[in-house]
Amino acid sequence: MHRTNIYLTQEQARALDERARQGGTTRSAIVRDIIDRDLGRDGVLTEEVKAGFAELAERYDELTDGMFDDDPDLRIER
């Protein structure tokens, strides 16, 4: 990660904080997601997350069997 400081209007900061609160995440994560979408990198993190879940599922096969089957974004194809 590279730290970058930016100036936001009060309205922008409030909107980011509200979206972060609703998503259970941070203002920084929301800003990174917006930048990735704008730069055409949508889904980069999702693939990293899927790979992490697949690795965990493989390592803990019995415990995770079917754990993510109800979520198409996290479903693990073996």
Side-chain angles (χ1 to χ4, degrees), residues 6 11-13 15 22 27 30 32 34-35 38-39 43 50-53 55 57-58 61 68 71-72 74 77:
I6 62 171
E11 183 178 320
Q12 290 168 327
Q22 289 175 350
R27 183 191 294 180
I30 297 296
R32 285 190 297 270
I34 291 168
I35 291 170
D38 189 64
L39 295 176
K50 282 183 176 182
F53 277 118
E55 183 181 327
E58 195 171 304
D61 192 38
F68 305 111
D71 188 332
L74 297 177
E77 303 298 330

Side-chain angles (χ1 to χ4, degrees), residues 15-29:
L16 286 171
D17 288 342
E18 178 61 21
R19 187 179 293 184
R21 186 189 62 73
Q22 289 175 350
T25 189
T26 64
R27 183 191 294 180
S28 296

Side-chain angles (χ1 to χ4, degrees), residues 49-58 60-61 63-78:
V49 170
K50 282 183 176 182
F53 277 118
E55 183 181 327
L56 285 172
E58 195 171 304
Y60 301 101
D61 192 38
L63 294 173
T64 60
D65 189 36
M67 182 181 256
F68 305 111
D69 288 350
D70 61 338
D71 188 332
D73 290 328
L74 297 177
R75 186 175 297 125
I76 299 167
E77 303 298 330
R78 297 181 190 195

